Amino acid sequence: AAAGASPPLNLSTSNLSAVASESVDAVVSLSALCRANLTAALAEVRRVLKSNGRLVVFEPTLGLDSRSTRRLQVLASPLHEARPPLPPSVYVDGQLFFTSTYLRALTDGCRLDDDLAGLLEEGGWSRQSMARHSLAAARSWLTAPFVLGVWRP
């Protein structure tokens, strides 16, 4: 950190309430927003960022290039948030049909049915830079579409 600058904070989006409004220069999210209530998290990020602050994201996002990937992301995303939670295993006619562990591995615990870049711009965030990538090292092909970008409130 530069002389006089505050040290970096490592906070989850659920506990930004301890951070003063308009006090943060930058928020960096590496696969964190996809695990949060996106509307609430972005509102908190906007609240804590200074007017010239930046939101830097590297997040899995809705795959816009492949219709089949996009459809599966939309189908799989709400399942890991099912209430009550999904049972560890589901059997159909005596055959193992599904394991919730497998689903969590496929989605990496993320909601993948949101186009984060589109939502930021619809929410009035100003895009500074943005690129969409397909991450070859992703844990699953459902989490391969990523967005890397910088937005200002």
Side-chain angles (χ1 to χ4, degrees), residues 4-38:
S6 299
L9 298 172
N10 184 4
L11 300 173
S12 73
T13 54
S14 63
N15 66 1
L16 287 178
S17 60
V19 179
S21 296
E22 298 184 28
S23 64
V24 176
D25 293 316
V27 171
V28 177
S29 179
L30 305 171
S31 298
L33 289 172
C34 67
R35 291 176 173 85
N37 173 321
L38 196 52

Side-chain angles (χ1 to χ4, degrees), residues 3 9 13 16 18 25 27 39 44 55 60 69 92 122 132-133 146:
L9 298 172
T13 54
L16 287 178
D25 293 316
V27 171
T39 304
E44 275 298 279
L55 169 61
T69 298
V92 175
E122 288 172 15
R132 293 183 183 274
H133 299 278
F146 261 74

